[in-house]
Tab-separated table of all heavy atoms in Angstrom:
chain	number	residue	atom	x	y	z
A	94	ILE	N	6.489	93.214	80.071
A	94	ILE	CA	6.815	92.972	81.467
A	94	ILE	C	7.633	94.084	82.034
A	94	ILE	O	8.650	94.417	81.576
A	94	ILE	CB	7.576	91.679	81.621
A	94	ILE	CG1	6.830	90.492	81.067
A	94	ILE	CG2	8.064	91.412	83.124
A	94	ILE	CD1	7.385	89.170	81.260
A	95	GLU	N	6.958	94.790	83.104
A	95	GLU	CA	7.664	95.776	83.891
A	95	GLU	C	8.158	95.054	85.141
A	95	GLU	O	7.484	94.353	85.757
A	95	GLU	CB	6.586	96.781	84.093
A	95	GLU	CG	7.142	98.111	84.457
A	95	GLU	CD	5.963	99.056	84.377
A	95	GLU	OE1	4.802	98.776	84.081
A	95	GLU	OE2	6.255	100.216	84.828
A	96	VAL	N	9.405	95.357	85.313
A	96	VAL	CA	10.016	94.781	86.568
A	96	VAL	C	10.917	95.764	87.278
A	96	VAL	O	11.831	96.164	86.786
A	96	VAL	CB	10.579	93.263	86.300
A	96	VAL	CG1	11.676	93.268	85.210
A	96	VAL	CG2	11.099	92.708	87.625
A	97	GLY	N	10.450	96.047	88.507
A	97	GLY	CA	11.118	97.117	89.256
A	97	GLY	C	11.293	98.307	88.411
A	97	GLY	O	10.501	98.582	87.560
A	98	ASP	N	12.512	98.817	88.459
A	98	ASP	CA	12.749	100.051	87.544
A	98	ASP	C	13.702	99.578	86.430
A	98	ASP	O	14.254	100.531	85.722
A	98	ASP	CB	13.347	101.173	88.444
A	98	ASP	CG	12.587	102.374	88.558
A	98	ASP	OD1	11.303	102.300	87.776
A	98	ASP	OD2	12.771	103.284	89.193
A	99	TYR	N	13.826	98.377	86.216
A	99	TYR	CA	14.902	97.951	85.253
A	99	TYR	C	14.723	98.388	83.865
A	99	TYR	O	15.712	98.314	83.025
A	99	TYR	CB	15.063	96.389	85.452
A	99	TYR	CG	15.945	96.036	86.672
A	99	TYR	CD1	15.225	95.291	87.676
A	99	TYR	CD2	17.190	96.331	86.830
A	99	TYR	CE1	15.964	95.001	88.916
A	99	TYR	CE2	17.932	96.093	87.944
A	99	TYR	CZ	17.309	95.386	89.026
A	99	TYR	OH	17.896	95.095	90.149
A	100	PHE	N	13.486	98.544	83.466
A	100	PHE	CA	13.351	98.828	82.102
A	100	PHE	C	12.781	100.301	81.790
A	100	PHE	O	12.438	100.673	80.642
A	100	PHE	CB	12.498	97.793	81.305
A	100	PHE	CG	13.139	96.490	81.389
A	100	PHE	CD1	12.910	95.458	82.342
A	100	PHE	CD2	14.233	96.267	80.405
A	100	PHE	CE1	13.626	94.434	82.358
A	100	PHE	CE2	15.027	95.049	80.560
A	100	PHE	CZ	14.704	94.142	81.424
A	101	ASN	N	12.668	100.987	82.910
A	101	ASN	CA	12.152	102.259	82.903
A	101	ASN	C	13.181	103.207	82.511
A	101	ASN	O	13.461	104.119	83.469
A	101	ASN	CB	11.437	102.518	84.426
A	101	ASN	CG	10.560	103.726	84.220
A	101	ASN	OD1	10.105	104.124	83.206
A	101	ASN	ND2	10.263	104.276	85.472
A	102	ARG	N	13.844	103.049	81.509
A	102	ARG	CA	14.980	103.857	81.082
A	102	ARG	C	14.716	104.235	79.599
A	102	ARG	O	14.131	103.569	78.854
A	102	ARG	CB	16.225	103.018	81.230
A	102	ARG	CG	16.498	102.606	82.745
A	102	ARG	CD	17.639	101.827	82.770
A	102	ARG	NE	17.783	101.058	84.014
A	102	ARG	CZ	18.774	100.402	84.458
A	102	ARG	NH1	19.879	100.165	83.761
A	102	ARG	NH2	18.743	99.800	85.514
A	103	PRO	N	15.561	105.280	79.113
A	103	PRO	CA	15.386	105.675	77.602
A	103	PRO	C	15.895	104.655	76.702
A	103	PRO	O	15.481	104.749	75.553
A	103	PRO	CB	16.117	106.954	77.586
A	103	PRO	CG	17.030	106.990	78.760
A	103	PRO	CD	16.423	106.076	79.911
A	104	GLY	N	16.946	103.857	77.042
A	104	GLY	CA	17.479	102.919	76.008
A	104	GLY	C	17.169	101.488	76.244
A	104	GLY	O	16.722	101.166	77.220
A	105	ILE	N	17.315	100.661	75.181
A	105	ILE	CA	17.074	99.221	75.318
A	105	ILE	C	18.328	98.608	76.153
A	105	ILE	O	18.228	97.966	77.013
A	105	ILE	CB	16.948	98.553	73.892
A	105	ILE	CG1	15.671	99.216	73.178
A	105	ILE	CG2	16.688	97.131	73.894
A	105	ILE	CD1	15.393	98.641	71.914
A	106	TYR	N	19.579	98.859	75.349
A	106	TYR	CA	20.640	98.245	75.960
A	106	TYR	C	21.758	99.383	76.501
A	106	TYR	O	22.547	99.009	77.361
A	106	TYR	CB	21.479	97.425	75.008
A	106	TYR	CG	20.628	96.487	74.170
A	106	TYR	CD1	20.408	96.547	72.889
A	106	TYR	CD2	19.825	95.449	74.827
A	106	TYR	CE1	19.638	95.722	72.146
A	106	TYR	CE2	19.102	94.616	74.166
A	106	TYR	CZ	19.055	94.639	72.796
A	106	TYR	OH	18.209	93.838	72.030
A	107	LYS	N	21.606	100.422	75.809
A	107	LYS	CA	22.682	101.596	76.072
A	107	LYS	C	21.979	102.748	76.583
A	107	LYS	O	20.806	103.118	76.238
A	107	LYS	CB	23.279	101.824	74.743
A	107	LYS	CG	24.193	100.909	74.229
A	107	LYS	CD	25.056	101.366	73.037
A	107	LYS	CE	24.235	101.633	71.860
A	107	LYS	NZ	25.018	102.023	70.734
A	108	ASP	N	22.673	103.526	77.283
A	108	ASP	CA	22.230	104.946	77.758
A	108	ASP	C	22.558	105.835	76.610
A	108	ASP	O	23.629	106.067	76.126
A	108	ASP	CB	23.114	105.416	78.955
A	108	ASP	CG	22.653	106.631	79.438
A	108	ASP	OD1	21.979	107.326	78.658
A	108	ASP	OD2	22.923	106.995	80.615
A	109	PRO	N	21.425	106.245	75.903
A	109	PRO	CA	21.658	107.200	74.772
A	109	PRO	C	22.594	108.379	74.973
A	109	PRO	O	23.225	108.858	74.034
A	109	PRO	CB	20.201	107.648	74.498
A	109	PRO	CG	19.294	107.019	75.237
A	109	PRO	CD	19.982	106.306	76.404
A	110	LYS	N	22.688	108.764	76.102
A	110	LYS	CA	23.385	109.900	76.546
A	110	LYS	C	25.004	109.628	76.254
A	110	LYS	O	25.776	110.356	75.773
A	110	LYS	CB	23.057	110.540	77.957
A	110	LYS	CG	22.125	111.464	78.081
A	110	LYS	CD	22.205	112.263	79.354
A	110	LYS	CE	20.789	112.853	79.490
A	110	LYS	NZ	20.289	112.517	80.756
A	111	THR	N	25.410	108.526	76.960
A	111	THR	CA	26.749	108.138	76.901
A	111	THR	C	27.129	107.206	75.797
A	111	THR	O	28.378	106.928	75.576
A	111	THR	CB	27.157	107.408	78.306
A	111	THR	OG1	26.350	106.312	78.389
A	111	THR	CG2	26.872	108.341	79.446
A	112	ASN	N	26.096	106.531	75.239
A	112	ASN	CA	26.322	105.494	74.159
A	112	ASN	C	26.851	104.331	74.863
A	112	ASN	O	27.523	103.459	74.076
A	112	ASN	CB	27.091	106.008	73.015
A	112	ASN	CG	26.808	105.259	71.897
A	112	ASN	OD1	25.682	104.734	71.584
A	112	ASN	ND2	27.780	105.191	70.862
A	113	LYS	N	26.975	104.143	76.097
A	113	LYS	CA	27.559	102.956	76.862
A	113	LYS	C	26.533	102.040	77.342
A	113	LYS	O	25.433	102.410	77.708
A	113	LYS	CB	28.261	103.426	78.020
A	113	LYS	CG	29.559	104.279	77.684
A	113	LYS	CD	30.858	103.905	78.569
A	113	LYS	CE	31.899	104.532	78.050
A	113	LYS	NZ	32.135	105.936	78.421
A	114	PRO	N	26.803	100.676	77.272
A	114	PRO	CA	25.760	99.776	77.795
A	114	PRO	C	25.513	100.202	79.264
A	114	PRO	O	26.290	100.518	80.012
A	114	PRO	CB	26.438	98.371	77.749
A	114	PRO	CG	27.711	98.575	76.670
A	114	PRO	CD	27.999	100.025	76.819
A	115	TYR	N	24.206	99.841	79.646
A	115	TYR	CA	23.866	99.979	81.089
A	115	TYR	C	24.692	98.954	81.913
A	115	TYR	O	24.830	97.749	81.549
A	115	TYR	CB	22.432	99.715	81.381
A	115	TYR	CG	21.448	100.755	80.690
A	115	TYR	CD1	20.576	100.390	79.809
A	115	TYR	CD2	21.525	101.922	81.162
A	115	TYR	CE1	19.748	101.302	79.123
A	115	TYR	CE2	20.565	102.986	80.637
A	115	TYR	CZ	19.820	102.702	79.675
A	115	TYR	OH	18.938	103.623	79.119
A	116	PRO	N	25.378	99.408	82.956
A	116	PRO	CA	26.265	98.470	83.673
A	116	PRO	C	25.579	97.257	84.230
A	116	PRO	O	26.274	96.216	84.469
A	116	PRO	CB	26.894	99.366	84.777
A	116	PRO	CG	26.094	100.692	84.796
A	116	PRO	CD	25.382	100.657	83.537
A	117	ASP	N	24.231	97.451	84.413
A	117	ASP	CA	23.578	96.211	85.105
A	117	ASP	C	22.770	95.428	84.127
A	117	ASP	O	21.655	94.895	84.363
A	117	ASP	CB	22.679	96.751	86.281
A	117	ASP	CG	21.599	97.798	85.757
A	117	ASP	OD1	21.715	98.263	84.652
A	117	ASP	OD2	20.816	98.183	86.447
A	118	ASN	N	23.199	95.426	82.918
A	118	ASN	CA	22.479	94.588	81.768
A	118	ASN	C	22.137	93.338	82.159
A	118	ASN	O	21.030	92.782	81.950
A	118	ASN	CB	23.116	94.938	80.472
A	118	ASN	CG	22.642	96.023	79.579
A	118	ASN	OD1	21.613	96.472	79.989
A	118	ASN	ND2	23.373	96.357	78.602
A	119	ALA	N	23.154	92.510	82.709
A	119	ALA	CA	22.875	91.179	83.051
A	119	ALA	C	21.813	90.983	84.042
A	119	ALA	O	20.895	90.131	83.916
A	119	ALA	CB	24.220	90.417	83.541
A	120	ILE	N	21.800	91.865	85.029
A	120	ILE	CA	20.752	91.729	86.074
A	120	ILE	C	19.389	92.164	85.472
A	120	ILE	O	18.450	91.562	85.874
A	120	ILE	CB	21.363	92.612	87.254
A	120	ILE	CG1	22.617	92.145	87.794
A	120	ILE	CG2	20.162	92.799	88.356
A	120	ILE	CD1	23.278	92.997	88.779
A	121	ARG	N	19.429	93.255	84.714
A	121	ARG	CA	18.032	93.606	84.054
A	121	ARG	C	17.344	92.433	83.402
A	121	ARG	O	16.242	92.163	83.557
A	121	ARG	CB	18.314	94.676	83.043
A	121	ARG	CG	18.838	96.088	83.567
A	121	ARG	CD	19.255	96.888	82.393
A	121	ARG	NE	18.005	97.585	81.815
A	121	ARG	CZ	17.999	97.744	80.604
A	121	ARG	NH1	19.121	97.639	79.831
A	121	ARG	NH2	16.950	98.295	79.985
A	122	PHE	N	18.252	91.765	82.589
A	122	PHE	CA	17.514	90.783	81.746
A	122	PHE	C	17.281	89.480	82.650
A	122	PHE	O	16.514	88.693	82.290
A	122	PHE	CB	18.305	90.580	80.471
A	122	PHE	CG	18.092	91.623	79.512
A	122	PHE	CD1	18.927	92.683	79.305
A	122	PHE	CD2	16.727	91.705	78.870
A	122	PHE	CE1	18.727	93.768	78.467
A	122	PHE	CE2	16.588	92.907	78.067
A	122	PHE	CZ	17.462	93.839	77.783
A	123	ALA	N	18.143	89.301	83.630
A	123	ALA	CA	17.899	88.205	84.561
A	123	ALA	C	16.373	88.396	85.166
A	123	ALA	O	15.689	87.456	85.194
A	123	ALA	CB	18.933	88.120	85.704
A	124	PHE	N	16.251	89.621	85.579
A	124	PHE	CA	15.001	89.842	86.104
A	124	PHE	C	13.728	89.757	85.135
A	124	PHE	O	12.767	89.230	85.439
A	124	PHE	CB	14.953	91.353	86.697
A	124	PHE	CG	15.255	91.319	88.157
A	124	PHE	CD1	16.480	91.717	88.570
A	124	PHE	CD2	14.193	91.024	89.094
A	124	PHE	CE1	16.825	91.815	90.002
A	124	PHE	CE2	14.552	90.971	90.488
A	124	PHE	CZ	15.879	91.451	90.838
Side-chain angles (χ1 to χ4, degrees):
I94 301 186
E95 200 166 352
V96 53
D98 246 354
Y99 283 112
F100 297 98
N101 197 18
R102 304 179 189 185
I105 301 182
Y106 313 119
K107 291 188 292 186
D108 182 342
K110 274 203 199 116
T111 59
N112 207 29
K113 294 222 171 73
Y115 291 117
D117 57 349
N118 267 345
I120 297 166
R121 295 171 75 213
F122 287 100
F124 267 103

